């Protein structure tokens, strides 16, 4: 009967939903044991609360970076000179070893929530770092206390994601190089994180609760052409523009770029073992391919003989090393060193500090 068919369909739907929803919790113990018993993995694994309740599909949709390199053919590739690459220190971190006034901005970890906006989130953080760095001399003189737990400079990931029509498909993914192009040509306004009521254009997608997100992926919010209610500046006067956008490839070249101008945004391929990272240097991929992910690279170093990149993720501070991770440097692991992008911030910029 029709009633029996409906009941069978309802039971099947419930069983499928339960089975898929528990994927991270079901597989994490296996990955944790496998990784921690295998020294060749190079890192320690543990349970990451950010991924609570995530199905395999949920984890895949966090990977919102389009990896087909369609837009890269249009971008200039920057090559640093041999002298700059030869004189690099063995370890370096933006905001720590240089540009100390920007430590609060550099060390701030965002939460992309249940949306494939990593490409826009990493871009907004990289742009914020570079605006701070380009203006760090004047910031230090002003003594504005940028070393707090919240960033004093935060550019709008929401505007990049919602309004850049040629960048991609918002929550369904985008191209980091086009986010940098958007900053250079159109301009990006300030914008704090969800619920902060800070800046012109705060992020509008709420972070997942401790129990995890459920249901379909968040929709991309509509593009706004005015600042939030009560904000003191107009949308156009709050815009900040870079002077260039380009690609950087190769480990030494990326190091020279970071040392000269600050953080860069890099895209890489994510495999399942990465999801359980908690410390150490990630140096071998394993498991299902989940997709392309964009992150902000802020420095480099060496641990137990393994060279690494120091990288800020966008999965809240409840993932990894308080939101950061170390990733093997020098072998283009997962394509990390072949898809890095940046823009140049203006040194005479103003009105970029976050107001709430």
């Amino acid at each position: 009967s029709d009633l029996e068919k409906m009941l069978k369909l309802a039971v099947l739907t419930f069983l499928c939903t339960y089975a898929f929803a528990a994927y991270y919790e079901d597989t994490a113990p296996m990955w944790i044991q496998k990784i921690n018993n295998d020294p060749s993995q190079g890192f320690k694994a543990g349970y990451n609360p950010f991924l609570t309740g995530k199905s395999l599909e949920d984890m895949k949709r966090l990977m919102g970076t389009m990896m087909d390199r369609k837009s890269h053919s249009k971008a200039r590739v920057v090559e640093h000179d041999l002298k700059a690459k030869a004189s690099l220190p063995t370890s370096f971190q933006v905001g720590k070893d240089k540009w100390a006034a920007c430590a609060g901005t550099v060390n701030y970890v965002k939460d992309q929530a249940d949306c494939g906006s990593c490409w826009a989130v990493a871009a907004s953080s990289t742009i914020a770092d570079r605006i701070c760095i380009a203006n760090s001399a004047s910031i230090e003189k002003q003594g504005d206390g940028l070393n707090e737990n919240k960033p004093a400079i935060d550019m709008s990931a929401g505007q990049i994601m919602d309004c850049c029509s040629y960048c991609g498909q918002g929550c369904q993914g985008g191209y980091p190089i086009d986010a940098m192009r958007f900053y250079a040509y159109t301009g990006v306004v300030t914008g704090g994180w969800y619920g902060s009521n800070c800046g012109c254009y705060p992020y509008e997608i709420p972070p997942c609760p401790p129990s995890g997100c459920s249901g379909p992926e968040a929709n991309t919010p509509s593009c706004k052409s005015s600042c939030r209610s009560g904000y003191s500046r107009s949308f156009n006067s709050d815009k900040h523009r870079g002077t260039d956008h380009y690609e950087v490839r190769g480990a030494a070249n990326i190091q020279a770029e970071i040392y000269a101008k600050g953080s860069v945004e890099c895209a890489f391929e994510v495999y399942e073992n990465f999801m359980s990272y908690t410390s150490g240097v990630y140096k071998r991929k394993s498991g299902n391919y989940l997709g392309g992910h964009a992150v902000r690279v802020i420095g480099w170093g060496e641990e137990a003989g393994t060279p690494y990149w120091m990288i800020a993720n966008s999965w809240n501070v409840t993932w990894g090393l308080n939101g950061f991770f170390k990733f093997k440097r020098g072998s283009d692991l997962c394509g990390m060193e072949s898809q890095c992008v940046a823009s140049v911030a203006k040194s005479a910029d103003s009105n970029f500090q976050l107001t709430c």
Side-chain angles (χ1 to χ4, degrees), residues 167-186:
C167 285
Q169 300 170 4
C171 272
Q172 282 67 54
Y175 296 97
I177 189 63
D178 283 332
M180 294 297 167
R181 179 185 170 199
F182 184 77
Y183 167 55
Y185 291 164
T186 302

Side-chain angles (χ1 to χ4, degrees), residues 37-260:
N37 289 337
D38 180 5
S40 73
Q41 297 272 351
F43 66 100
K44 294 297 181 184
Y47 185 81
N48 280 311
F50 175 79
L51 298 169
T52 298
K54 293 257 187 295
S55 67
L56 180 59
E57 287 307 309
D58 291 339
M59 291 196 294
K60 284 182 176 181
R61 67 194 192 200
L62 290 171
M63 315 304 161
T65 298
M66 297 178 177
M67 302 291 280
D68 59 17
R69 302 180 61 81
K70 179 187 74 175
S71 294
H72 285 257
S73 60
K74 305 171 191 173
R76 184 168 68 91
V77 179
V78 165
E79 183 71 37
H80 288 269
D81 63 53
L82 292 173
K83 186 177 178 182
K85 289 187 273 192
S87 60
L88 292 165
T90 54
S91 66
F92 177 76
Q93 192 166 312
V94 178
K96 180 181 176 183
D97 300 305
K98 208 173 178 182
W99 310 301
C102 300
T105 296
V106 173
N107 294 331
Y108 185 62
V109 174
K110 294 184 175 182
D111 187 337
Q112 69 186 76
D114 194 28
C115 167
S117 58
C118 56
W119 61 276
V121 173
S124 69
S125 295
T126 301
I127 291 165
D129 289 357
R130 289 197 161 212
I131 289 173
C132 186
I133 287 163
N135 296 275
S136 59
S138 61
I139 288 169
E140 279 189 282
K141 287 177 184 175
Q142 291 166 16
D144 285 321
L146 300 197
N147 295 307
E148 298 174 0
N149 290 328
K150 65 178 182 178
I153 302 170
D154 198 2
M155 307 311 290
S156 180
Q159 182 209 1
I160 297 170
M161 178 177 70
D162 304 347
C163 302
C164 182
S165 58
Y166 55 78
C167 285
Q169 300 170 4
C171 272
Q172 282 67 54
Y175 296 97
I177 189 63
D178 283 332
M180 294 297 167
R181 179 185 170 199
F182 184 77
Y183 167 55
Y185 291 164
T186 302
V188 177
V189 297
T190 59
W193 221 236
Y194 179 84
S196 67
N197 206 36
C198 294
C200 167
Y201 200 132
Y203 200 67
E204 294 182 276
I205 300 172
C208 295
S211 58
C213 285
S214 60
E217 182 175 28
N219 292 320
T220 306
S222 60
C223 176
K224 317 292 185 298
S225 57
S226 59
C227 295
R228 63 174 171 83
S229 177
Y231 191 66
S232 60
R233 286 193 292 273
S234 70
F235 194 82
N236 283 335
S237 66
D238 201 72
K239 276 185 181 178
H240 301 267
R241 289 181 178 85
T243 60
D244 196 2
H245 71 290
Y246 51 88
E247 189 174 353
V248 191
R249 300 176 192 163
N253 213 31
I254 295 164
Q255 287 174 273
E257 175 69 21
I258 293 170
Y259 192 73

Side-chain angles (χ1 to χ4, degrees), residues 286-347:
S286 183
N288 290 318
Y289 171 64
L290 300 180
H293 187 48
V295 290
R296 178 172 48 110
V297 181
I298 66 166
W300 66 85
E302 191 172 300
E303 183 172 296
T306 302
Y308 68 82
W309 297 110
M310 176 60 81
I311 304 175
N313 205 347
S314 53
W315 295 346
N316 205 310
V317 294
T318 62
W319 182 89
L321 206 58
N322 297 315
F324 291 83
F325 64 100
K326 296 174 182 177
F327 195 92
K328 187 179 179 181
R329 169 171 53 90
S331 61
D332 197 26
L333 178 64
C334 301
M336 181 70 83
E337 293 154 10
S338 59
Q339 293 202 50
C340 294
V341 299
S343 185
V344 178
K346 293 177 181 176
S347 59

